[in-house]
Amino acid sequence: MAILITGGAGYIGTHAMVEFLNAGREVICVDNFSNSKPCALERVKQITGKDFKSYEVDLLDYDALEKVFVENKIESCIHFAGLKAVGESCEKPLLYYHNNLTGTFNLCALLQKYGAKKIVFSSSATVYGKPASVPITEDFPLSTTNPYGETKLMIERILKDLHAADNEWSVSILRYFNPIGAHKSGLIGEDPKGIPNNLLPYVAQVATGKRPYLSIFGDDYNTHDGTGVRDYIHVVDLAKAHLKAIERAEKVSGVEYFNVGTGVGYSVLDIVKAYEAATGAKVPYKIVARRPGDIDECYANPDKAYRVLGWRAENNIEDMCRDSYRWQSNNPDGYGE
Ligand code: NAD
Ligand code: WQD
C-alpha cells in the first residue's frame, strides 16, 4: 500500500519524500514539474538509496491521474501540489483558482473512488490573514488577503465538507509558517525561478554573491526592531510533521488543524544577523519601502501539534541558516537546466 505524494518534486515535497522513504514507507510521486525538475527526484533517491515510482501527471488531467490509482494500491495522500506565489496569484487569479481548486477536486474524487480517504493538506499561516495578536492558535479567525491564500482557505473548507458528508475521511490540515533551510546533504533545497520572492532564498543568493544586497521591506513595523517578524521553520522539521500527521490519520478519522511552526518569531534583521553568524558570509542590505500586503508579526503557538501528534521542531535558526547556505553554495543555479 502506497502513499501518494502530489507535488513531491517541489521544495517541501522532496524533503517529505526523504523522510517517508527513510521511515520505510512506500511513496508514489505525482508532479507536473510546473515549478520543479525531475532531477530533484533523482537527488531524493541518492540521499535515501531507495527507489520509488513517479508520474509526470497534472492533477487537472483526471484520466491521467486515475491511471495512477488503477496501477497502484494507494491508501492515503500528502497533497503538496499547488501554485504558491502570492504576487502572481493577484495577477493571475483564474490560474490559481483553477490549478489549486480543480486539481484538489480531481484528487479528492479519486481518493474517494478508490477508498483512500486519508489526506494531509498543505495549508498556510496565510489563512490567519492579519492576526489580531500573536502567537496564533488554530482557533483564530480565518481570512485572506490574496487569491493564493483564498485557495488555501477554500480547500480547507472543501475538505471539512467532505468529512461532514462521509465521516470515514481523515483530514489533517497543516498550516505551515515560513519553511526555510534545506536537507543536510546539500543535495535538495529551494530552487526559486528567477528573482526570489521570499526572504531566505534571497538572503542565500546575497550571501553567496549572486545578488549584491538584500532589500528589507520596511523598518517601521510594530516589532522589536521595526522589521517584519515571522516564524521560520526548518523544512526537514516540517517534512517530519507530515509523517506524524499521516500516522495519526491512519488511526483516527476526522478533520484536524495544526500549526506547524517553532513558536519563535525572528525579524528580518535578526535573520540577517543569524545568517552572517552561522555562515561567516556577509549579507549587505538596504531598507526600502514596505511590500504591500505584509503584516507586522506572525508566529505560531505550535503546542497542539506537540500534544496531539507528538511533533515539535528540532532545528534552530542557526541550523536553518547553515543548511540554506550549504544548499545555495553547492547549487548556485539550483537544480540547473
Ligand atoms: P513548490 O512549488 O516547490 O512545490 C509544489 C509542487 O507542485 C511543484 O513541484 C509543482 O510542479 C507541483 N504542481 C503544481 N501544480 C500542479 C498540478 N496541477 N499538478 C501536478 N503538480 C503540480 O512549493 P513548496 O514550497 O514545496 O510548497 C508545497 C505546498 O505547500 C504548496 O501547496 C504550497 O502552497 C504550500 N505552502 C508552502 C509554503 C512555502 O513558503 N513554501 C508555505 C505554506 C504553504
Ligand atoms: C518574510 C519577511 C518580508 C523578502 C510568504 C507567503 C505565505 C507563505 C510563506 C505560502 C517579511 C521580508 C522578504 C525580501 C524582505 N507561503 N522580506 N525582503 O511574506 O511571511 O510569507 O511565504 O503559503 O503565504 O505570503 O514570507 O519570506 O516573503 O517574507 O524584507 O526580499 O521578509 O517583508 O517581513 P511571508 P517572505
Side-chain angles (χ1 to χ4, degrees), residues 75-118:
E75 59 175 337
S76 58
C77 176
I78 315 287
H79 181 26
F80 293 109
L83 297 173
K84 63 164 182 177
V86 171
E88 187 185 52
S89 80
C90 298
E91 288 155 22
K92 300 175 184 168
L94 292 181
L95 174 70
Y96 272 66
Y97 286 118
H98 185 47
N99 188 74
N100 293 4
L101 295 178
T102 310
T104 303
F105 296 152
N106 287 343
L107 175 68
C108 289
L110 288 164
L111 289 169
Q112 179 127 27
K113 181 170 174 184
Y114 289 85
K117 294 184 244 181
K118 298 179 189 70

Side-chain angles (χ1 to χ4, degrees), residues 6-14 30-37 57-60 79-84 99-100 103 121-126 148 152 174-179 190 198 238:
T6 75
Y11 172 43
I12 304 168
T14 45
V30 166
D31 202 301
N32 65 356
F33 302 115
S34 57
N35 196 39
S36 55
K37 299 193 180 110
V57 163
D58 193 319
L59 295 191
L60 300 179
H79 181 26
F80 293 109
L83 297 173
K84 63 164 182 177
N99 188 74
N100 293 4
F121 173 60
S122 302
S123 190
S124 166
T126 194
Y148 164 72
K152 292 292 167 194
L174 303 188
R175 295 178 179 149
Y176 311 160
F177 281 67
N178 290 56
E190 190 167 9
N198 297 114
L238 173 60

Side-chain angles (χ1 to χ4, degrees), residues 2-8 12-13 16-17 20 25-30 59 74-81 107 111 116 118-122 172 174 176 238-247 249-250:
I3 304 171
L4 184 69
I5 315 260
T6 75
I12 304 168
M17 298 272 292
F20 279 73
R25 304 299 302 251
E26 186 189 346
V27 290
I28 294 172
C29 174
V30 166
L59 295 191
I74 288 166
E75 59 175 337
S76 58
C77 176
I78 315 287
H79 181 26
F80 293 109
L107 175 68
L111 289 169
K118 298 179 189 70
I119 187 168
V120 178
F121 173 60
S122 302
S172 187
L174 303 188
Y176 311 160
L238 173 60
K240 288 179 176 167
H242 294 77
L243 197 50
K244 296 283 192 186
I246 205 72
E247 284 167 359
E250 284 162 355

Side-chain angles (χ1 to χ4, degrees), residues 84 86 123-126 146 148 152 176-179 196-202 214-218 221 227-230 232 268 291 294-296:
K84 63 164 182 177
V86 171
S123 190
S124 166
T126 194
N146 56 73
Y148 164 72
K152 292 292 167 194
Y176 311 160
F177 281 67
N178 290 56
N197 296 312
N198 297 114
L199 180 64
L200 260 289
Y202 206 105
L214 168 72
S215 295
I216 296 185
F217 301 144
Y221 284 101
T227 64
V229 166
R230 299 290 184 272
Y232 296 95
V268 180
R291 182 173 66 179
D294 276 354
I295 56 176
D296 303 64

